[in-house]
Amino acid sequence: RALCPLVPSAPAALRALPPPVAVGVLHTTRPLHTTQQSLAPVPPLPEKGGEVRHGLIPEEFFQFLYPKTGVTGPYMLGTGLLLYLLSKEIYVINHETAAAACILTVIVYGIKKFGPGVAAFADKLNEEKIASALAMKNEAIQTLQTAIEDEKKEQWRAEGSNYLFDAKRNNIAMLLETNYRERLLMVYNEVKKRLDYQVAMQNLKRQKEQDHMIQWVEKNVVQSITPQQQKESIAKCILDLKALSKSAHAAV
Amino acid sequence: LPAAVLLKDTKLMDVKLGQLGTWLAMRDFTPSGILGAMQRGYTRYYNKYINVRKGGLGGISMVLAGYIVLSYMWSYSHVKHDRRRKYH
């Protein structure tokens, strides 16, 4: 204990020391955090894709030509291009053209009729996926919330342990007190027993001495009464009795 | 004084017509450069038309139209024989 006085409060002692030399000096030669972070949170998907007109030409093309040619510019360009291709027979009309026309008609008709239905179905699938993912996320958040609540409750419970320790300390004090008093009583009883024994011994001894002496005195007295004395005492008694009987006769 | 952007870093739409030749010459034509350019183009198209919440028809129909045009160009030498007029 004397050799290491700091042991009981080591963290506080360590904190009190001066900070080491390397603290505050960043050991880097290149800048950190220059690029944008590419990880979470991931930005959400855009709602709609790029605009496409007639399913084939991006809207940007129309916007590109609008300042110079107005609204009909791209259509004029398309018509002119088509006529040029046809007249120069860069696009040749043959049996494949007829087949393409029929196929395209069927395709366009199919899309116009079933398009919205298929789109709604796909949207529903997407919605379900998103909803399930969202539900998982919310559930995870909820679990963590309840975990936080439980943790706080545990901390509150840990505070109550002080009362528990006080009660336990009281119990132990009472036990010690009880034990001490029991032993005190035992000591008292034992001492009393020993003293009583001594008193009883003395009483017994005196009593025995008394009895013995009385007996001895009686025995000696009886021995000392000789036969002579016995006769004289009996004659005396008879005379006394006669005198008494005379006085008794006289009284009657 | 606005910072002068190097010709190498300008986008195609910002290049003036006279500078087009120099700009094309400065592009990266190594295999990895070409691959990178294809990857970038694919990613741009994908993120703009397909990787969205409510994708439309235009996303795939543009790809199919491009394929049709390309295959017509490849088979033109065979289709040439069905022309009605020989000289235009």
Side-chain angles (χ1 to χ4, degrees), chain A:
Chain A
R1 277 274 156 176
L3 286 174
C4 45
L6 293 178
V7 160
S9 63
L14 284 174
R15 258 184 248 127
L17 290 170
V21 177
V23 167
V25 174
L26 201 52
H27 293 287
T28 51
T29 50
R30 61 179 173 82
L32 299 170
H33 293 300
T34 47
T35 59
Q36 239 178 353
Q37 283 193 303
S38 61
L39 298 176
V42 176
L45 283 178
E47 193 60 37
K48 291 174 81 58
E51 276 286 323
V52 173
R53 214 191 275 207
H54 304 300
L56 280 180
I57 305 158
E59 191 68 32
E60 279 84 6
F61 185 65
F62 292 83
Q63 298 303 324
F64 177 65
L65 291 177
Y66 180 77
K68 292 284 195 276
T69 59
V71 178
T72 54
Y75 294 108
M76 287 292 112
L77 178 66
T79 314
L81 206 64
L82 191 63
L83 286 175
Y84 165 71
L85 290 176
L86 282 173
S87 74
K88 284 288 213 189
E89 282 207 299
I90 296 176
Y91 177 68
V92 179
I93 296 191
N94 50 9
H95 60 284
E96 282 178 18
T97 312
C102 298
I103 292 173
L104 275 178
T105 318
V106 169
I107 286 179
V108 166
Y109 172 74
I111 285 176
K112 283 275 189 287
K113 192 142 196 269
F114 302 113
V118 170
F121 177 70
D123 285 343
K124 199 155 70 73
L125 287 179
N126 252 6
E127 274 301 306
E128 281 167 19
K129 273 193 229 168
I130 290 178
S132 75
L134 206 64
M136 265 187 358
K137 179 183 104 165
N138 284 344
E139 209 180 290
I141 288 180
Q142 204 54 42
T143 341
L144 288 174
Q145 283 281 75
T146 45
I148 289 176
E149 298 290 318
D150 288 338
E151 188 63 33
K152 287 217 170 90
K153 198 157 204 199
E154 288 300 313
Q155 282 176 348
W156 169 80
R157 276 202 194 128
E159 285 173 19
S161 65
N162 280 339
Y163 297 119
L164 187 70
F165 293 150
D166 280 343
K168 284 196 174 177
R169 248 178 254 131
N170 280 349
N171 276 359
I172 289 173
M174 261 198 275
L175 275 174
L176 285 173
E177 187 73 25
T178 314
N179 210 0
Y180 173 67
R181 288 195 188 182
E182 271 178 3
R183 289 188 190 186
L184 217 55
L185 186 68
M186 193 163 70
V187 163
Y188 166 77
N189 283 341
E190 289 293 312
V191 167
K192 186 150 178 309
K193 274 200 284 189
R194 274 154 185 66
L195 290 177
D196 285 346
Y197 170 75
Q198 293 297 327
V199 162
M201 276 287 284
Q202 283 179 357
N203 285 352
L204 184 70
K205 197 164 173 198
R206 184 136 46 85
Q207 198 174 0
K208 284 284 175 237
E209 283 174 359
Q210 270 185 351
D211 288 345
H212 185 257
M213 207 182 295
I214 290 172
Q215 225 174 354
W216 187 79
V217 165
E218 279 184 358
K219 193 168 79 168
N220 278 0
V221 163
V222 164
Q223 269 181 345
S224 74
I225 298 178
T226 59
Q228 172 71 21
Q229 277 177 327
Q230 208 168 354
K231 271 189 199 157
E232 284 180 11
S233 67
I234 287 176
K236 184 102 185 0
C237 288
I238 292 173
L239 281 175
D240 282 330
L241 275 170
K242 276 189 186 158
L244 271 169
S245 72
K246 271 189 200 155
S247 65
H249 271 302
V252 170

Side-chain angles (χ1 to χ4, degrees), chain A residues 45-47 49-50 55-56 58 60 87-92 94 111 123 126, chain B residues 48-49 51-54 57-58 61-62 65 72 76 79 82-85 88:
Chain A
L45 283 178
E47 193 60 37
L56 280 180
E60 279 84 6
S87 74
K88 284 288 213 189
E89 282 207 299
I90 296 176
Y91 177 68
V92 179
N94 50 9
I111 285 176
D123 285 343
N126 252 6
Chain B
K48 185 153 182 214
Y49 291 105
N51 199 13
V52 293
R53 289 242 180 109
K54 287 166 72 73
L57 184 64
S61 80
M62 280 199 283
Y72 185 83
Y76 184 65
V79 173
D82 292 335
R83 280 197 293 193
R84 290 181 172 249
R85 297 273 183 277
H88 289 99

